[in-house]
Amino acid sequence: MAEQQPVSTNGRAGGGDASNGVLEQLSDDQLRWIYLIMRRIRRFEETAEEAFRAAKMRGALHFYIGEEATATGVCAALDDGDFITSTHRGHGHCIAKGARMDKMMAELFGRTTGYCGGKGGSMHIADIELGNLGANGIVGAGIPIATGAALGSKLRKDGKVTIAFFGDGAGPTGAFHEGVNVAATMNLPAVFVCENNQYGMATHADFANAAAIHNRGPAYGIPSASIDGNDLFEVYATAKTAIDRARRGEGPTLIESRTYRHKGHTVLDQKNYRTKEEIAEWVARDPIERFVKAVNESERLDEDDFQAIDGQIEREIEHAVAFAEASPWPTVDVIERDVYVE
Amino acid sequence: MAVSTAQASAPETATREIFMSEALREAIDEEMTRDPTVFVVGEEVGVWGGAYAVTQGLLEKWGPDRIVDTPIAEAAIAGLGIGAALTGSRPIAEFMYSDFMGIAMDQIVNQAAKNRYMFGGKAKLPLTYRAPFGAGTGNAAQHTQSLEAWFAHVPGLKVITASTPYDAKGLLKSAIREDNVVIMFEHKAIYAMRGHVPEGEYLVPIGVADVKREGDDVSVITYARQTHHALEAAEQLAAEGISVEVVDIRSLYPLDTDTILRSVRKTHRAVVLYEAVRFGGFGAEIASQIQELAFDDLDAPVLRVGAAHAPVPFSEPLEQASFPGTAQVVESIRQSLQGVY
Ligand SMILES: Cc1ncc(C[n+]2csc(CCOP(=O)(O)OP(=O)(O)O)c2C)c(N)n1
Ligand SMILES: [Mg+2]
C-alpha cells in the first residue's frame, strides 16, 4: 500500500452479502470464535454487574457492552504472540486476547486467584504471556506504551504487531500525540485503535476533540480510517489491512471505530447526558445481533452452533463465579510483595 | 480585608451541618460572587458536576464562561490556570484525581511554582489547584495515592488540606484569595462527611494548624482524613485514662511549626500520622522539625505512622491494611507511651 493513503473501507473486495464479502474470508472456526468472544464479553459483564449490585465486589467497573465488535474484530486479525494495550474499559480487550474469565472474575472479586492476585482489580488486569500489556487507569497512558512495545518488536525483529486501544477521551491527551507521532516517525509496527463510543464520561467526543481522530492520520503521515465499530466485518477487514501493513514494516495506522456503550460510564453512573432515543438507536445497532444476522443469512453457521457456544459460555460463567467466590482473600503479608523483583 | 482571618475553629453557636463537598462548593460559589475574575476549569466540572460533586449546580448558575469543562488534558488544565492567572484572572483548576497531576507535573513544578521567582518577582499567580486524594475507595493504585509530599517539597507552591467541612470552606476561600499558587488536596473518603459550617462568611488562614483535641500525654500530628482516625483513637484511649492531643496541621506549606512544638513541649511525645507511603512522606519533615527544635523536650523518639511501601492494592483486606486505621493509631500511641518500637 502506498504511504499516506487512507485505509479504504469502502473499496473492500465487495461481495453481495451484508459483510461486503468479508464473511467469505473467515473460516467457520473463525466465525465461531468471534461469536464466542463477543458473547463471552457480554455475559462476563452482565454477570459482573449482578455481583457488583449484590455487593460482592467493589471499586469502579466500566462496561464494554455494546462495543464488543471492536475488540473482537481487531483481535481476530492478530496473531497469538501480538501485543495489545488496553484501557479502564478493558474487559473486552482482555477476553478478546484470550484471557480466562475465571481468573478475571476472581480479580474483580479481589481474590488471590485473580489475574493480579487481587492487587489490580478491574482497571489493571494484564496477562503479559497472552500479550495483554494491561488495562490502564490513566486515560491515554496505553498509547506510548504500545509505541514502546512496537519499538521493541522492531529492534528485536520479532515480527509482532502491537495494538493500542484507547477511547475518544484519549484523543485530547498529550500521550496520544506523543505516542502516535513517535510511532510514525520511527515507522513502528503499531495500530492505534480509537474506540469512539461518543462520550468520555459526560463529555461528547466532538466537544473534546477539535478535529476528528480519523482525520489526524495525514497530520502524522500515516493512514487513518473511520469505521462502523458495530460492524464486526468492517472492523476485522480494516484491522487486518492495518496489521498486515504494520507487520510488513510499513508503519502504523490510526483507526477510529465508531461505537457506543450501552451502560453508564461506570456501574454507578446514573447521569442524564444522553437521550433515551440516542441509547435506543445504538442498542438497535447491537454488534452481536448484527453479526448473528449476517452469519445466519449466509447459512455458514446454524442455530445449533450458536446454542452450543451459548451453552459453553454459561458453563464457563457459572464456573468463573463459583471459582471467584470460593477463592481465598489475599492476606496482608503480600501487601509489600511484588513492588520489586526480589 | 473586612473579614476576620483569626478564626481557627468553628464557633460554638454554629448549628448548620453540611457535607464537605457542599462546604467546598459554597467556598467556590461565594468567591465567584465576590470576584468576577474567579472561574473554575477542569474535567467534568460542568455537566457532570465534578467527579465528587463539588461543582454540582455551578454550571447552571454561572454558565460555561465561568465553569469551564475541558477535554482530558491535565497538562493543559495546569497550564490554563497559569496563563489565565498571569494575565489577570483568578482560576480554580481541578484535577479529577491527584494521581493525574503526574501528567501535569512540568506545568505545576517547572512553571507554576517558579514563574514568579524566575521573573524576579515580577509575576503574580493567583491560582488554586484542587485535587482529590487518598485511599479506601477500592479504586486501586492509580486513583488512590497521597502525593502531597511531592508538592510540599517544591518552593513556590503552598499546600493545604482539610479534615472538616468548616476548615475545607475556610481554607479554600483563603486559597482562592491568595496571590500565590495553592494546591488544595481533598480527601475522597470525607467528601460525604458532615460538619458544622456557619451561615456567615469566614476564612481559615493558610499556615495555621488547629488543635482538634487537647490532651496531655501524647501529641498526634496529622492532617486530612487521618485526623479522624487520631480523634477516634484519642476517644478510645481516653477510656483508659490516656490523654491524647490531636494537632491537624491543615497546611503542609507553610507549616505551623509553632503549634506543633507547643503541643510536643506539653506532652513530650509525638506520633506523626499520615496516609501517604511512610518512607519519604511529609511526616518525615514534621518529625525532623520536632527533633531539631524540641529534642530536649522529648521523652520518646518521634514515631511516624504511614502507609506500606507499596502502591495501593485493590482487594479490600489489602487496601484497608495498607494505610493507617484507628486500631493502628491506638497501637502506635501505646508504643510511643511505652517507648517501645
Ligand atoms: C489522565 C486521566 N484523566 C482523567 C481520568 C478520569 N477518567 C476516567 S475514564 C474517563 C473518560 C474516558 O473517556 P474515553 O477515553 O472516551 O473512554 P470511555 O470511558 O468512553 O471508554 C475519564 C475522564 C483518567 N482516568 N485519566
Ligand atoms: Mg469514550
Side-chain angles (χ1 to χ4, degrees), chain B residues 30-79:
Chain B
E30 287 176 17
E31 293 308 300
M32 288 182 71
T33 306
R34 180 175 177 271
D35 180 345
T37 68
V38 174
F39 72 96
V40 173
V41 61
E43 292 160 15
E44 305 293 342
V45 294
V47 176
W48 190 281
Y52 287 90
V54 169
T55 51
Q56 204 160 53
L58 294 183
L59 174 66
E60 291 73 6
K61 175 165 180 187
W62 293 106
D65 284 349
R66 295 188 69 189
I67 303 292
V68 182
D69 267 325
T70 70
I72 301 173
E74 284 78 12
I77 291 166

Side-chain angles (χ1 to χ4, degrees), chain A residues 134-205:
Chain A
N136 211 312
I138 305 296
V139 168
I143 299 172
I145 295 172
T147 299
L151 174 63
S153 287
K154 185 180 178 184
L155 300 181
R156 294 188 304 268
K157 299 187 173 53
D158 65 9
K160 292 179 181 178
V161 173
T162 302
I163 306 289
F165 288 107
F166 59 96
D168 47 282
T173 65
F176 168 88
H177 169 70
E178 295 185 29
V180 175
N181 184 63
V182 168
T185 59
M186 297 183 184
N187 222 33
L188 299 178
V191 180
F192 300 98
V193 179
C194 174
E195 300 175 310
N196 182 348
N197 60 7
Q198 318 300 318
Y199 295 87
M201 295 182 71
T203 302
H204 197 272

Side-chain angles (χ1 to χ4, degrees), chain B residues 214-260:
Chain B
E214 295 199 10
D216 301 316
D217 298 333
V218 56
S219 301
V220 179
I221 324 293
T222 188
Y223 51 94
R225 188 259 294 267
Q226 289 297 333
T227 306
H228 299 283
H229 292 161
L231 290 170
E232 282 164 25
E235 193 61 35
Q236 283 182 27
L237 289 163
E240 299 172 23
I242 297 168
S243 166
V244 178
E245 177 145 309
V246 177
V247 180
D248 174 3
I249 61 170
R250 298 196 294 199
S251 169
L252 282 69
Y253 194 88
L255 181 64
D256 180 3
T257 316
D258 289 346
T259 300
I260 296 169

Side-chain angles (χ1 to χ4, degrees), chain A residues 23 27 34 41 83 109-111 114 118 148 162 170 184 192 219 221-222 226 237 255 274 287 295 300 314 317 342:
Chain A
L23 213 156
S27 68
I34 286 164
I41 297 170
F83 301 113
F109 274 74
R111 307 303 169 94
T162 302
F192 300 98
I222 62 172
S226 171
I255 298 171
R274 313 188 296 183
V295 174
R300 289 279 298 281
E314 289 319 303
I317 289 283
E342 301 292 339

Side-chain angles (χ1 to χ4, degrees), chain A:
Chain A
M1 186 190 293
E3 271 293 301
Q4 314 208 358
Q5 216 181 344
V7 174
S8 167
T9 55
N10 306 322
R12 258 181 351 221
D17 60 35
S19 80
N20 277 330
V22 181
L23 213 156
E24 291 154 31
Q25 300 167 23
L26 296 162
S27 68
D28 287 359
D29 278 349
Q30 278 178 303
L31 293 177
R32 280 195 200 92
W33 182 87
I34 286 164
Y35 180 72
L36 173 77
I37 294 297
M38 290 204 290
R39 288 291 306 167
R40 267 189 188 158
I41 297 170
R42 182 143 316 178
R43 291 293 300 128
F44 178 84
E45 292 198 329
E46 286 171 353
T47 310
E49 179 165 11
E50 279 169 33
F52 186 91
R53 303 222 182 274
K56 290 180 182 176
M57 58 176 74
R58 64 202 276 268
L61 288 180
H62 304 84
F63 294 128
Y64 194 67
I65 291 178
E67 309 185 33
E68 293 92 341
T70 300
T72 309
V74 170
C75 289
L78 285 177
D79 290 347
D80 277 351
D82 290 333
F83 301 113
I84 66 166
T85 64
S86 170
T87 68
H88 57 287
R89 200 173 300 289
H91 304 150
H93 312 134
C94 198
I95 290 173
K97 201 71 183 68
R100 296 182 58 105
M101 291 193 292
D102 52 1
K103 290 174 72 174
M104 287 178 66
M105 196 65 85
E107 188 57 36
L108 268 52
F109 274 74
R111 307 303 169 94
T112 50
T113 52
Y115 263 107
C116 318
K119 284 180 174 163
S122 164
M123 261 193 297
H124 302 295
I125 300 181
D127 190 336
I128 307 294
E129 278 170 31
L130 281 177
N132 178 354
L133 305 181
N136 211 312
I138 305 296
V139 168
I143 299 172
I145 295 172
T147 299
L151 174 63
S153 287
K154 185 180 178 184
L155 300 181
R156 294 188 304 268
K157 299 187 173 53
D158 65 9
K160 292 179 181 178
V161 173
T162 302
I163 306 289
F165 288 107
F166 59 96
D168 47 282
T173 65
F176 168 88
H177 169 70
E178 295 185 29
V180 175
N181 184 63
V182 168
T185 59
M186 297 183 184
N187 222 33
L188 299 178
V191 180
F192 300 98
V193 179
C194 174
E195 300 175 310
N196 182 348
N197 60 7
Q198 318 300 318
Y199 295 87
M201 295 182 71
T203 302
H204 197 272
D206 296 342
F207 174 89
N209 292 282
I213 288 163
H214 68 266
N215 280 335
R216 298 183 198 176
Y220 299 110
I222 62 172
S224 51
S226 171
I227 59 173
D228 177 351
N230 285 14
D231 178 349
L232 181 284
F233 302 105
E234 188 169 355
V235 174
Y236 172 80
T238 310
K240 183 94 175 77
T241 304
I243 291 165
D244 290 349
R245 180 176 188 278
R247 217 182 296 282
R248 288 194 304 270
E250 293 169 18
T253 300
L254 177 59
I255 298 171
E256 178 175 345
S257 184
R258 277 173 282 112
T259 183
Y260 202 78
R261 58 168 157 76
H262 292 181
K263 306 271 180 171
H265 170 64
T266 69
V267 63
L268 296 172
D269 171 18
Q270 295 184 332
K271 295 196 188 279
N272 291 322
Y273 47 86
R274 313 188 296 183
T275 62
K276 285 197 178 65
E277 294 71 32
E278 180 183 286
I279 297 171
E281 241 172 69
W282 279 93
V283 169
R285 277 179 246 157
D286 186 286
I288 304 182
E289 285 173 17
R290 283 171 64 183
F291 173 81
V292 169
K293 187 162 176 282
V295 174
N296 273 334
E297 282 168 7
S298 75
E299 300 183 1
R300 289 279 298 281
L301 303 182
D302 58 23
E303 254 331 288
D304 289 349
D305 288 303
F306 291 123
Q307 275 179 14
I309 295 168
D310 287 341
Q312 175 192 337
I313 293 170
E314 289 319 303
R315 288 190 297 278
E316 289 171 351
I317 289 283
E318 215 172 288
H319 160 73
V321 172
F323 173 79
E325 284 187 309
S327 293
W329 290 97
T331 49
V332 300
D333 54 301
V334 304
I335 289 175
E336 293 187 345
R337 229 180 274 161
D338 301 326
V339 182
Y340 304 96
V341 172
E342 301 292 339

